[in-house]
Amino acid sequence: LSSDGDDVRVSRKDGKIDPEARFKKERGDEKDHLYMVVIGHVDAGKSTLMGRLLCDLGQVNKKTMHKYEQESKKLGKQSFMYAWVLDETGEERNRGITMDVGRYQFETKTKEVTLLDAPGHKDFIPNMISGAGQADVGVLVVDATRGEFETGFDLGGQTREHALLVRSLGVTQLAVVINKLDTVSWSKDRFEEIVQKLKTFLKQAGFKENDVTFVPCSGLTGQNLVKPPTENELLEWYKGPCLLEVIDKFRAPARPITKPFKFSVNDVFKGTGTGFCVAGRVETGVLNTGDKVLVCPNKDLAAVKSLAIEEVSKVVVFAGDQATVTLSGIEMQNVSVGNILCDPGNPVQVSSRFEARIVIFNIAVPITKGYSVVLHHQSLVEPAVISKLTSQLNKSNGEVQKKHPRFLSKNSSAIVEISVSKPIALEVYSECKELGRVMLRVGGATIAAGLVTKVL
Ligand code: GDP
């Protein structure tokens, strides 16, 4: 510990470190940090919008932009030049889709924002889940072009599924970009029509009305992204904030730093020095260089050699941080994506069987006992079975409607038991909401999302 840390140590009566005082001392004058995920149907214009936003904020240098412009001209896909800011690999460029979760930084007046760019292509929803699992807030992009909004919103489109997914992963605040409004001459009627449809749906999906803001934009022409619109047809009826202002107004997430330390691993890699690194999110508590951690579900002990955030080394990291931890005293092959690091004195629960309260989405075949699913918990992906249908719940008040139902149909709510193919580390939602959420998928579609109510 530095001498600074020691000063804070004596500030509490029992002589222990007061985590909140320490946080204030270490981070008090920094801007609040927001992790933001961008979601929406493929081709809604997500990459173009975010690429343009980053360019307009001066986050991309002129030389790089010039290179992208030349390359996109050569391919005859000039409009892709902004999207390329986000799509870094050649493969993605040729296919014109974003494949992995990229990371970009920018600042607003009061926030420092890390952008988690989620892919929109259907096959890549698992990638999106790992991006959204780290997100505090979301930007949902929809294409206002006639027919296109409808394709993305109605059956088969990803607008609904993405919104449901991020909500079930804990995102409560959304900016909804009604994009490509240039294709409908900035029509107020079209904007309102889409807003009405989305409002009803987002309310059902569990978003509070006050936590959702609709913004008319054009990513391609840069209208209403980082400054008020200049387009007369839009100025005539729109007096609200631009996208950057909406992002600035998001509430920063709470940091549960007084709770026991827990960290979810979403990447494991060989570092430059000795030891190896795990990257992930500090879900709760505080972690110091030199601390011992328990790696679960295997319950192996390891020591923290060093810590970093965005490649800047730190002596301490706090709940809410995305950090890289260099571990020693454990073999790299004994740590995997989806593991939880925790305080050995206050470990996470480990089990292969748990009870959950789930909401079932639009499924074709009802769920019966023994139904096979793929369980997503944080970054963990594991085969599982719905091993017991405990009760069906009334959707509006959550009360038990029927005990031991024989099947569960679409859009219903239930308590079920889930058996996983091997033990996993998790928590009951009421104890630790960060580690108490699960998602169930079948054949590439999300069929349910839920909260852990009991670890069995
Ligand atoms: P993504 O799949 O959601 O990332 O979408 P892209 O950013 O790759 O955009 C899909 C297509 O829509 C590309 O051809 C873009 O040039 C086009 N596009 C994106 N934004 C706009 C916009 O604001 N207006 C118009 N007219 N076209 C756009």
Side-chain angles (χ1 to χ4, degrees):
L1 275 181
S2 66
S3 58
D4 274 354
D6 289 335
D7 287 345
V8 180
R9 184 193 290 271
V10 293
S11 73
R12 228 170 74 159
K13 283 197 193 86
D14 59 7
K16 284 205 181 125
I17 301 170
D18 177 343
E20 270 166 342
R22 195 158 174 218
F23 180 76
K24 218 165 154 191
K25 187 163 181 142
E26 294 262 343
R27 304 282 183 84
D29 20 318
E30 287 179 14
K31 287 184 179 179
D32 282 332
H33 205 137
L34 272 185
Y35 290 91
M36 188 171 91
V37 67
V38 184
I39 55 173
H41 191 65
V42 61
D43 283 347
K46 298 176 294 296
S47 307
T48 306
L49 182 88
M50 285 302 151
R52 179 78 196 230
L53 185 101
L54 292 170
C55 289
D56 290 357
L57 290 172
Q59 294 298 92
V60 183
N61 67 41
K62 286 233 167 65
K63 209 171 127 205
T64 309
M65 237 25 251
H66 183 71
K67 192 178 99 201
Y68 288 156
E69 195 181 344
Q70 294 305 317
E71 284 180 22
S72 50
K73 260 187 198 159
K74 235 191 283 170
L75 276 173
K77 290 198 259 183
Q78 207 169 340
S79 65
F80 278 7
M81 101 181 210
Y82 289 111
W84 281 359
V85 173
L86 299 192
D87 299 348
E88 281 171 339
T89 71
E91 188 194 354
E92 287 174 27
R93 280 185 201 177
N94 291 334
R95 297 171 63 182
I97 47 177
T98 316
M99 286 195 5
D100 210 347
V101 178
R103 280 165 177 274
Y104 305 87
Q105 302 272 139
F106 65 92
E107 285 185 23
T108 67
K109 223 185 289 167
T110 64
K111 305 279 178 341
E112 196 184 310
V113 185
T114 301
L115 182 67
L116 306 157
D117 177 49
H121 193 277
K122 199 166 180 175
D123 302 347
F124 305 132
I125 284 196
N127 278 348
M128 183 193 130
I129 293 173
S130 69
Q134 306 156 34
D136 303 310
V137 297
V139 174
L140 170 64
V141 183
V142 300
D143 183 345
T145 311
R146 284 184 220 290
E148 290 301 324
F149 168 73
E150 288 72 13
T151 305
F153 188 60
D154 295 327
L155 223 67
Q158 287 133 11
T159 310
R160 286 168 193 266
E161 180 169 25
H162 283 191
L164 285 165
L165 277 175
V166 297
R167 182 62 198 88
S168 56
L169 288 165
V171 171
T172 56
Q173 304 177 78
L174 270 191
V176 182
V177 171
I178 315 292
N179 195 29
K180 307 197 193 179
L181 222 57
D182 56 300
T183 67
V184 291
S185 325
W186 308 98
S187 158
K188 183 183 183 198
D189 288 348
R190 180 64 174 159
F191 176 79
E192 297 286 348
E193 179 193 351
I194 295 173
V195 167
Q196 279 321 315
K197 283 192 180 155
L198 286 173
K199 250 192 189 159
T200 311
F201 163 70
L202 291 172
K203 210 167 146 192
Q204 284 166 357
F207 288 95
K208 291 194 185 124
E209 198 160 332
N210 285 339
D211 288 343
V212 179
T213 313
F214 296 90
V215 208
C217 292
S218 164
L220 194 63
T221 66
Q223 280 294 307
N224 208 25
L225 300 188
V226 303
K227 48 181 193 264
T230 49
E231 200 72 57
N232 283 332
E233 283 163 298
L234 180 57
L235 273 171
E236 256 168 43
W237 58 269
Y238 185 72
K239 307 278 177 277
C242 67
L243 179 60
L244 195 69
E245 286 167 323
V246 176
I247 296 169
D248 185 60
K249 288 283 170 333
F250 279 134
R251 291 182 310 278
R255 288 177 179 260
I257 54 182
T258 55
K259 287 189 159 186
F261 166 71
K262 291 192 185 99
F263 178 101
S264 51
V265 175
N266 51 46
D267 198 8
V268 181
F269 57 96
K270 188 97 194 70
T272 44
T274 53
F276 65 96
C277 305
V278 300
R281 181 176 177 107
V282 185
E283 303 291 354
T284 53
V286 175
L287 183 67
N288 300 280
T289 309
D291 281 353
K292 290 265 187 305
V293 295
L294 200 63
V295 181
C296 290
N298 289 352
K299 303 186 180 166
D300 294 321
L301 264 181
V304 176
K305 266 184 76 180
S306 62
L307 294 166
I309 296 176
E310 308 287 352
E311 285 162 25
V312 178
S313 87
K314 300 276 175 192
V315 288
V316 54
V317 291
F318 300 92
D321 286 340
Q322 304 274 352
T324 303
V325 183
T326 307
L327 290 176
S328 64
I330 186 170
E331 296 292 322
M332 184 163 160
Q333 73 252 28
N334 292 333
V335 185
S336 42
V337 171
N339 280 177
I340 305 294
L341 310 185
C342 59
D343 174 359
N346 215 329
V348 63
Q349 303 210 55
V350 174
S351 176
S352 60
R353 216 158 54 90
F354 64 91
E355 185 192 86
R357 191 171 73 232
I358 62 169
V359 177
I360 297 155
F361 301 150
N362 203 344
I363 48 171
V365 184
I367 294 175
T368 48
K369 185 179 159 179
Y371 196 91
S372 294
V373 293
V374 177
L375 175 82
H376 287 251
H377 176 260
Q378 291 289 349
S379 298
L380 184 84
V381 182
E382 214 45 75
V385 163
I386 299 183
S387 46
K388 188 172 166 190
L389 310 184
T390 310
S391 51
Q392 187 173 335
L393 305 175
N394 180 318
K395 258 200 126 175
S396 50
N397 60 18
E399 281 171 16
V400 174
Q401 204 167 43
K402 189 174 182 187
K403 282 197 170 168
H404 311 298
R406 283 185 42 236
F407 63 88
L408 298 167
S409 43
K410 66 178 178 189
N411 304 323
S412 65
S413 216
I415 305 266
V416 297
E417 239 179 67
I418 296 169
S419 299
V420 195
S421 60
K422 60 184 195 211
I424 63 167
L426 77 176
E427 290 288 356
V428 169
Y429 181 81
S430 58
E431 297 283 314
C432 176
K433 63 180 176 21
E434 295 77 11
L435 299 179
R437 295 189 199 94
V438 292
M439 210 146 21
L440 307 178
R441 309 190 83 230
V442 173
T446 308
I447 60 143
L451 308 176
V452 179
T453 47
K454 265 185 217 161
V455 178
L456 302 165

